[in-house]
Amino acid sequence: MKVRQVLTSLAAALSGYLAARGIFPTQVVDHPGFLVAGVTLYLLSTLLVLAVPSVRREGAPARLPRWISAWAVLVSAALPCIVSASSERGDWTAPHVTWYIGAVGALMTIVMVRRRPVWAWAGIVAMSVASSALIGLGSALSFGLVGSVLWVAVAQLMQLSTDRAYADTVKLASLQQASAAWQSAQMMRRRERRERVQYALEVAGPVLTQVIASGGALADEERNEAWIAEGTLRDELRAPKLMDDEVRAAIAGLRRRGATVTVLDEGGVDDLDEAQLAAVRAELAVTLAATDAPRLIIRAAPHPEIAVTVVGRAGVELSDEDTVALWHEIPRPS
């Protein structure tokens, strides 16, 4: 059983007990109709306060509807007069009459729990004024007014402490989520670094071994392979998100044919997910495999529509007279 159902059952049981004190008097009642009307009005009000769904506003917790709260305050003011009218003035301090003091306290406690503190205290004040006018403040205090005030006050304190605990819990949960996200990001960075280092060793390791073994005296083919390895490492540092096996193979093929390839990533693909990056890399690999331009610039710059731009120049050396041999734009995946 849910906590709300348990609390509702306890409130209903307490309200029923308080109403029973009035409906089963220990002495003869002069005007029982007023007593029955008072008990019926109280039970109906309690049922409304317990059963009517709360109203939720944006940025605020769910609360008891305002019209129900106003009705409960009116009942708190009218109930002492209605119940007292059932007996002569000399019997106004009898248990079957003063039950309304505890009943209104229970009703306003429910109103307080349902997040209407102003209306709850208004009901207590209304009942206090009415009961004091009927039997005197001292008698009202001795017949349960102090307890009713304490019920409402304790309910408000518990609500404040619960709200504070809930806010602290939400804050702690957000901090834990942020910490978990940070730890996950750090683990991903460390894994990426390990992968980059491992790849660098795979690429540069054989070249360095050959350099050491030959004492730096490399043949032309070996020197070309070293140049390709150096360019590959530079690509991995400058644009790791654009690299996969097909793109690496295409760039290596261009460099083996003597082409100069420059790869730059300026954050143009940082917001793409893995599937979108895979589509961009696939198109980039196809584009590079189909060109024979001697000098290529691959650039991923921030742009609302273009993910990667591939420019091929006809001249081997940089010159204002170069002609554009290739201009290809890879759109951002939708």
Side-chain angles (χ1 to χ4, degrees):
M1 185 179 293
K2 296 181 179 179
V3 176
R4 178 181 174 83
Q5 294 176 343
V6 173
L7 295 178
T8 300
S9 301
L10 291 175
L14 177 61
S15 300
Y17 164 74
L18 294 171
R21 293 182 58 192
I23 204 66
F24 297 110
T26 57
Q27 61 189 72
V28 178
V29 179
D30 299 315
H31 306 287
F34 286 102
L35 188 59
V36 173
V39 172
T40 303
L41 181 63
Y42 169 68
L43 291 177
L44 176 62
S45 302
T46 302
L47 180 62
L48 288 174
V49 171
L50 286 174
V52 173
S54 299
V55 176
R56 184 179 297 276
R57 292 184 178 180
E58 186 177 357
R63 294 183 176 184
L64 184 69
R66 187 177 284 106
W67 70 272
I68 295 291
S69 304
W71 168 262
V73 173
L74 292 176
V75 170
S76 300
L79 193 62
C81 300
I82 296 174
V83 175
S84 297
S86 65
S87 302
E88 297 296 331
R89 186 178 184 85
D91 295 331
W92 283 359
T93 56
H96 69 276
V97 178
T98 57
W99 66 271
Y100 64 78
I101 297 177
V104 171
L107 182 63
M108 291 300 104
T109 300
I110 300 173
V111 173
M112 176 66 74
V113 170
R114 299 202 62 184
R115 297 187 178 278
R116 288 295 184 183
V118 175
W119 294 98
W121 286 115
I124 289 294
V125 171
M127 184 269 291
S128 301
V129 172
S131 60
S132 298
L134 292 170
I135 61 176
L137 179 60
S139 298
L141 293 173
S142 63
F143 285 109
L145 182 58
V146 175
S148 296
V149 172
L150 287 177
W151 287 353
V152 176
V154 170
Q156 186 171 24
L157 291 176
M158 291 182 63
Q159 187 181 86
L160 292 174
S161 62
T162 302
D163 290 347
R164 187 177 295 110
Y166 175 76
D168 293 340
T169 302
V170 171
K171 184 177 180 180
L172 179 60
S174 63
L175 291 175
Q176 289 177 338
Q177 291 177 354
S179 176
W182 181 83
Q183 291 178 351
S184 177
Q186 293 299 314
M187 291 178 62
M188 291 180 63
R189 291 191 183 97
R190 286 195 293 267
R191 185 179 64 182
E192 185 176 353
R193 291 192 195 101
R194 287 196 299 268
E195 292 176 353
R196 298 298 173 194
V197 170
Q198 183 177 0
Y199 183 77
L201 293 175
E202 292 176 357
V203 172
V207 176
L208 293 175
T209 302
Q210 183 64 29
V211 170
I212 295 172
S214 63
L218 298 177
D220 291 341
E221 183 179 352
E222 294 171 340
R223 196 176 299 277
N224 188 52
E225 288 297 324
W227 175 70
I228 293 174
E230 186 270 338
T232 302
L233 292 177
R234 188 188 304 115
D235 296 340
E236 295 293 333
L237 294 174
R238 288 179 174 178
K241 291 189 175 182
L242 295 178
M243 297 295 112
D244 64 4
D245 292 340
E246 294 181 357
V247 174
R248 292 186 186 103
I251 294 176
L254 288 170
R255 285 176 173 147
R256 284 190 174 91
R257 292 199 300 268
T260 301
V261 183
T262 302
V263 186
L264 301 172
D265 183 2
E266 300 173 359
V269 294
D270 287 349
D271 58 338
L272 300 184
D273 58 29
E274 192 59 36
Q276 293 171 328
L277 283 173
V280 171
R281 293 165 181 160
E283 185 172 349
L284 177 59
V286 172
T287 302
L288 295 177
T291 185
D292 57 357
R295 187 156 49 85
L296 287 147
I297 300 174
I298 304 166
R299 182 167 176 257
H303 191 279
E305 297 179 358
I306 305 303
V308 178
T309 302
V310 183
V311 180
R313 308 302 293 267
V316 178
E317 300 294 336
L318 182 61
S319 173
D320 294 337
E321 298 179 358
D322 286 350
T323 58
V324 176
L326 170 67
W327 182 281
H328 183 76
E329 294 177 335
I330 302 176
R332 297 177 65 83
S334 58

